[in-house]
Amino acid sequence: MQCEEFEDRLNAVLDKRKRPETDAELQLHCETCPDCRHLAATYGRLLDGFYALATPHPPSDMAMRVLADLQPKVSPRRRWAVAAVALTTGALATAAGLLFAVVPLLRSHSQVPSTVLPTLATVASSDQSGPGSRGARIPLTGRSLESLELNQLPIVPELLALRTADEDPYAGLAKETGQSLATVVLYVPGIGGSKGIVDASGKDEPAWAAQMSEGLKPITDSVAETVNLLLRALPTVVSDSRS
Amino acid sequence: MSDNVRELVHQCLRGDQSAMVELVSNFRGQVFGLCYRMLRHRQDAEDVTQESFVRALRSLGTWDQQREFLPWLLAIAGNRCRTLLAIRMHQPATSSLVEHLSDDAVGIRDAENLAEEVDLALSHLRAEYRQAFLLFHQHEMSYSQISTTLDCPLGTVKTWVHRARRELIARLKDRGVLQESRHAVRRV
């Protein structure tokens, strides 16, 4: 071997992930050529130095950081909008409760025809039509709440969508809408899921989610159960308001 | 690629967050290792690692499942590193390990400092040479895999790795870390 060929041969040996001293041809040449022997030694030193480099440990929370990054970003304006939706929903629910309480009182103390009274189903289903469709127009006045189908209740549309979710309703709606769990909780306040309170740790809006979900603890393990519980509670509200 | 990784990817594509966590945990060491050696800055390496995983998870659907997963992932990380290095070139230098080491005395001989000098020499390589060198020596990828990862001919990859070695040695000699041969004028 000539000196001109030595470095190429040396690289070829390193390409096979072998040490220069393991190659007989290189060794033979090195015995008679101090320059090439020195060159082989420098390559060896280079790799010794490289492999001695300490490998830093990656951050242990990398996976959670990545997941947080994957969550849709919620701007402050958007957060206000979401909070407003939650408040509006709460206000609607309160109004519904009051309406249920007031309607029987009105019926007992006046002769106003029931047809002119506002009905919750009408309010809830102004954009729905057709027999059996969600929120079909059914006058609620004088009807027992327990007799109503779930899809006739004036609750936010997401609630009705949750009814058909196979497993955890929060997760089902989150997947369907592409929203974070925290956002879903805000859109559907007060409705319990198997996961209940959103686990805000590691999410991109932990303080916000924790704060907003604080008062939204799940009542039961399923939406239907929660709604039925609410239905059973409503007559109590009525009787309380009468007394 | 193992079936485990393929299954994990399928679960990720279905939106399973626990699978995403597992995928990131399985590969974070390799991705962070490459980013750290490329960028030589821990915080930047963490940021680019995170960004690479986010990009990878968002574009998992484009990954050709007939190919290996890690080279595809490292290609994303390498591209992000090169982008950041290009941005750095147009920014005024900030204090870094490079400057710190530059002030060190020449003639260091012990293994620990040799490693630091190699690390410093790596930072002066062209980004392509450095990435090819790291994929070959650090990640032990074959030239064929690196060729796929960097999307360039196999011969080019081999040339880059050889030039990287030669330039590293030249720099270490300039720094006095490796001695010139006393016997003759070296060929270039």
Side-chain angles (χ1 to χ4, degrees):
Chain A
M1 183 197 292
Q2 302 297 311
C3 288
E4 289 72 25
E5 302 167 286
F6 186 86
E7 195 164 6
D8 285 342
R9 173 84 185 183
L10 182 59
N11 268 308
V13 169
L14 294 176
D15 287 349
K16 292 175 188 166
R17 306 187 193 283
K18 291 180 180 172
R19 301 284 303 184
E21 56 270 24
T22 62
D23 186 81
E25 200 168 343
L26 288 179
Q27 280 296 94
L28 191 65
H29 182 79
C30 283
E31 285 175 11
T32 57
C33 179
D35 274 350
C36 289
R37 186 165 65 239
H38 179 78
L39 184 64
T42 56
Y43 270 84
R45 287 274 288 160
L46 166 67
L47 295 181
D48 286 344
F50 177 73
Y51 290 121
L53 279 173
T55 305
H57 292 290
S60 57
D61 64 342
M62 179 56 69
M64 296 315 296
R65 286 159 60 169
V66 170
L67 283 189
D69 248 12
L70 285 169
Q71 296 287 331
K73 297 290 182 198
V74 181
S75 67
R77 181 176 293 182
R78 170 77 175 154
R79 291 180 185 188
W80 277 112
V82 169
V85 168
L87 290 172
T88 305
T89 307
L92 279 173
T94 306
L98 286 173
L99 206 50
F100 275 117
V102 166
V103 167
L105 287 174
L106 288 175
R107 275 178 61 83
S108 62
H109 294 292
S110 74
Q111 297 302 316
V112 179
S114 62
T115 50
V116 301
L117 289 174
T119 63
L120 290 174
T122 302
V123 173
S125 63
S126 58
D127 59 344
Q128 304 290 328
S129 61
S133 67
R134 192 170 76 186
R137 286 171 180 267
I138 293 176
L140 294 176
T141 309
R143 292 179 64 118
S144 163
L145 290 174
E146 278 122 326
S147 68
L148 293 175
E149 294 295 325
L150 185 62
N151 66 0
Q152 295 168 343
L153 286 169
I155 304 178
V156 286
E158 286 86 346
L159 173 61
L160 294 167
L162 285 178
R163 192 166 68 97
T164 57
D166 291 329
E167 297 171 2
D168 175 46
Y170 282 154
L173 189 58
K175 190 175 177 183
E176 200 172 308
T177 59
Q179 298 293 313
S180 69
L181 283 173
T183 306
V184 170
V185 168
L186 289 188
Y187 271 113
V188 193
I191 301 303
S194 62
K195 286 192 176 173
I197 292 296
V198 62
D199 175 12
S201 62
K203 299 291 188 300
D204 56 350
E205 60 265 322
W208 166 71
Q211 188 181 2
M212 294 303 292
S213 60
E214 193 175 3
L216 304 176
K217 297 192 176 180
I219 301 169
T220 68
D221 282 340
S222 75
V223 175
E225 211 178 327
T226 302
V227 172
N228 287 333
L229 191 68
L230 289 170
L231 292 176
R232 283 195 296 274
L234 279 171
T236 310
V237 174
V238 172
S239 63
D240 285 350
S241 65
R242 279 173 175 167
S243 65
Chain B
M1 186 192 67
S2 74
D3 287 341
N4 284 346
V5 175
R6 189 174 283 113
E7 178 54 31
L8 261 185
V9 169
H10 285 162
Q11 289 171 354
C12 291
L13 285 170
R14 289 196 293 266
D16 184 340
Q17 293 199 343
S18 64
M20 293 180 196
V21 169
E22 193 174 341
L23 193 78
V24 173
S25 300
N26 285 352
F27 292 105
R28 65 183 176 162
Q30 288 101 320
V31 174
F32 180 72
L34 176 68
C35 294
Y36 186 79
R37 288 277 166 257
M38 288 284 289
L39 302 171
R40 300 187 71 251
H41 188 283
R42 183 168 182 101
Q43 191 56 53
D44 284 351
E46 286 186 14
D47 291 346
V48 172
T49 301
Q50 184 175 334
E51 191 185 338
S52 302
F53 274 115
V54 169
R55 281 175 179 252
L57 285 168
R58 282 190 175 141
S59 54
L60 265 186
T62 65
W63 169 58
D64 178 357
Q65 300 195 13
Q66 301 304 314
R67 298 191 170 185
E68 289 184 78
F69 181 74
L70 182 60
W72 179 77
L73 183 60
L74 291 179
I76 294 173
N79 285 339
R80 301 314 305 154
C81 288
R82 292 218 297 267
T83 301
L84 184 59
L85 288 170
I87 293 170
R88 272 191 197 168
M89 284 180 67
H90 298 290
Q91 291 176 338
T94 54
S95 63
S96 69
L97 182 63
V98 176
E99 290 173 7
H100 170 69
L101 286 173
S102 299
D103 294 332
D104 282 351
V106 173
I108 301 164
R109 294 292 181 269
D110 62 88
E112 188 180 330
N113 286 333
L114 172 64
E116 284 185 7
E117 287 288 343
V118 170
D119 194 25
L120 175 61
L122 271 169
S123 71
H124 288 85
L125 288 180
R126 270 177 54 177
E128 295 87 352
Y129 294 2
R130 191 186 326 166
Q131 191 177 0
F133 181 89
L134 291 172
L135 291 177
F136 184 85
H137 284 293
Q138 184 179 354
H139 296 275
E140 300 190 340
M141 286 169 64
S142 69
Y143 279 132
S144 171
Q145 288 174 316
I146 300 172
S147 165
T148 305
T149 300
L150 300 182
D151 194 22
C152 63
L154 189 144
T156 304
V157 172
K158 200 178 261 194
T159 301
W160 284 353
V161 173
H162 291 187
R163 284 184 184 165
R165 290 178 189 147
R166 199 169 296 155
E167 288 188 15
L168 286 171
I169 285 175
R171 178 146 192 100
L172 292 175
K173 283 179 176 174
D174 285 347
R175 296 269 304 160
V177 180
L178 297 178
Q179 289 178 326
E180 290 283 358
S181 171
R182 291 171 297 164
H183 299 277
V185 176
R186 289 294 321 159
R187 58 185 172 275
V188 178

